[in-house]
Amino acid sequence: MARRATAGLLAAAVVTTVGAPLAYAADRQTPTKATSGTADGRQPKGLRTAVDRLVADGQPGVIVMTRRGNKVAHLGAGVADQETGTPMDPRLQIRIASISKTFTATVLLQLVAEHRLSLDDTVDHWLPGVVRAGGNDGRHITVRNLLQHTSGLNEYALDPRIQTQPERVWKPQELVDIALEKKPLFEPGKGWSYANTNYILAGMIIEKVTGHRVESEIGRRIIRPLGLKHTSMPQGTGFSGPYVHGYYGSYGDVSTLISPSSGWTSGGMISTVDDVAKFHRALFTGRLLPRAQQRELTTTRAVIDDGTPENYGLGVYRVRLRCGSAWGHDGGWPGYRTWAYTSKDGKRQAIISYNQTDEKLQADPNFRADLKKVTEAAFCG
């Protein structure tokens, strides 16, 4: 499973947004038995045990949504708030980080379908002079390069200015300018490197093409038509409803400390596991894009991300699970990690989210193995 370091402080690297080298707290909870609500009262075999194991490994709390056809089950284990002991609840909002990229890519592909721009348009065509520094040249980078991370642009999210100013409200241009201080990693189209910078520029292009704020376009085109009542791209650091608290090493609860402006169209959105599932199901079954743009979305190139093979398309990727291919994206933000998988026919889904960022834990082979068990059980049964 690829690490999408993503957004939020995103991305690929992301998981550090609050400062210097961190000393991780031994934030362990006594495992709380998974609770569940399901349409038919059944859960995939072994899933409850696997979910509880992630809490035993050190995650404060875990939420899982799983689908088999029209049958949906939810499981929660551990706590959403360590201070109050509030149990995990699938109805709570989470920061979905780089899953935001899929929303951004979908809007751009809808604009392509409307003949308002082309995937082969250059960045410079829409944003003249914006990418012209450090050897980076927007005249040779296409919209497709941005969406597939083949632009060669560097990451901005690990820059100390980003990591040491968590509450600062960043302008998209400021984020791009940080990335442009470094020479390109490769010529456009000649390599692959995951960078949030690509999706900041994608958001800027959406605004240039439409003349509207990108939040408005995502709302009009995706959120409202699908009835995603708990999904938004917030302006401030808070949530619009009850939420899962996210923990980040020795910093503790960082749920509302980091401005989502540092992620914006690359990783600044909040949602719930059900809203993410509804969006992905609509997308991968062809309800949001015409056939031609659906093919573009799911035309992939083989890449290695965090040591894991995957096939990356335009804001989505495909991985192989034991019962077949799964499409989706994942997202990591300080205090939050979410994995979203959907079969192409929409009959199988698994959304998994937990609420602690701990690099040491996430790199632990045992934890990674337990996470894989949850994924396989939730998606395949």
Side-chain angles (χ1 to χ4, degrees):
M1 291 174 287
R3 171 188 181 224
R4 187 93 292 98
T6 275
L9 269 179
L10 285 316
V14 203
V15 282
T16 325
T17 327
V18 223
L22 300 176
Y24 294 104
D27 218 359
R28 292 186 174 262
Q29 293 275 325
T30 300
T32 300
K33 287 295 181 182
T35 59
S36 67
T38 168
D40 67 343
R42 291 178 294 176
Q43 304 157 358
K45 184 178 180 180
L47 181 56
R48 181 186 297 273
T49 299
V51 170
D52 282 339
R53 185 61 202 165
L54 292 183
V55 177
D57 288 339
Q59 282 298 331
V62 181
I63 300 171
V64 175
M65 174 271 182
T66 175
R67 172 186 293 279
R68 293 290 181 289
N70 293 324
K71 298 174 182 178
V72 175
H74 299 88
L75 289 85
V79 297
D81 184 339
Q82 290 184 318
E83 183 176 349
T84 65
T86 301
M88 269 295 206
D89 186 320
R91 295 169 293 183
L92 297 176
Q93 289 183 327
I94 54 178
R95 297 197 184 277
I96 61 172
S98 277
I99 294 173
S100 306
K101 290 180 173 66
T102 310
F103 285 83
T104 302
T106 301
V107 171
L108 265 175
L109 285 167
Q110 289 179 346
L111 291 171
V112 170
E114 295 164 11
H115 306 291
R116 300 176 70 178
L117 82 159
S118 166
L119 289 173
D120 295 321
D121 286 347
T122 65
V123 171
D124 204 69
H125 174 81
W126 290 105
L127 305 173
V130 167
V131 179
R132 294 273 192 92
N136 301 281
D137 192 338
R139 292 172 295 185
H140 305 299
I141 298 171
T142 66
V143 175
R144 189 191 308 276
N145 291 149
L146 297 180
L147 297 184
Q148 199 169 43
H149 297 293
T150 56
S151 68
L153 294 170
N154 277 274
E155 178 61 73
Y156 68 81
L158 295 181
D159 188 272
R161 286 163 288 186
I162 301 291
Q163 297 189 21
T164 59
Q165 302 178 71
E167 296 180 356
R168 174 173 168 174
V169 176
W170 293 89
K171 296 178 180 179
Q173 184 68 63
E174 293 175 320
L175 302 176
V176 172
D177 288 345
I178 288 174
L180 297 183
E181 292 174 0
K182 295 181 179 180
K183 294 181 179 180
L185 299 170
F186 46 80
E187 293 182 23
K190 299 297 180 65
W192 187 88
S193 182
Y194 190 92
N196 291 284
T197 311
N198 293 311
Y199 276 76
I200 298 299
L201 286 163
M204 294 169 70
I205 290 173
I206 289 172
E207 294 195 334
K208 187 65 175 289
V209 172
T210 65
H212 302 142
R213 292 179 61 87
V214 73
E215 296 91 334
S216 174
E217 289 296 316
I218 291 175
R220 181 175 72 85
R221 294 169 176 273
I222 302 174
I223 292 176
R224 288 194 293 279
L226 294 181
L228 308 183
K229 297 180 180 180
H230 309 291
T231 301
S232 65
M233 185 177 289
Q235 299 297 305
T237 61
F239 292 78
S240 59
Y243 62 92
V244 171
H245 289 248
Y247 299 90
Y248 187 20
S250 62
Y251 288 87
D253 187 343
V254 296
S255 311
T256 59
L257 297 183
I258 301 165
S259 170
S261 65
S262 59
W264 198 46
T265 47
S266 181
M269 296 182 70
I270 58 175
S271 190
T272 61
V273 292
D274 279 344
D275 272 10
V276 169
K278 185 182 289 186
F279 167 51
H280 276 194
R281 197 175 192 216
L283 178 63
F284 293 116
T285 57
R287 290 171 51 198
L288 295 178
L289 296 172
R291 188 171 299 176
Q293 284 67 49
Q294 192 78 10
R295 284 197 300 269
E296 296 284 7
L297 176 82
T298 55
T299 296
T300 64
R301 63 178 293 158
V303 303
I304 301 296
D305 188 16
D306 191 32
T308 301
E310 69 182 33
N311 292 276
Y312 203 93
L314 303 185
V316 301
Y317 62 74
R318 184 181 73 241
V319 296
R320 181 74 182 176
L321 299 179
R322 62 176 167 80
C323 58
S325 292
W327 288 91
H329 211 284
D330 60 283
W333 185 278
Y336 301 87
R337 198 78 165 87
T338 302
W339 310 80
Y341 301 104
T342 297
S343 61
K344 203 165 186 178
D345 61 7
K347 293 181 179 180
R348 291 179 181 270
Q349 288 190 289
I351 315 294
I352 302 150
S353 187
Y354 50 83
N355 61 336
Q356 178 175 246
T357 295
D358 184 329
E359 288 281 354
K360 185 176 180 180
L361 175 61
Q362 293 187 156
D364 184 278
N366 292 325
F367 177 78
R368 293 173 73 96
D370 289 339
L371 179 60
K372 184 176 181 180
K373 289 177 183 177
V374 170
T375 302
E376 296 280 3
F379 189 81
C380 298

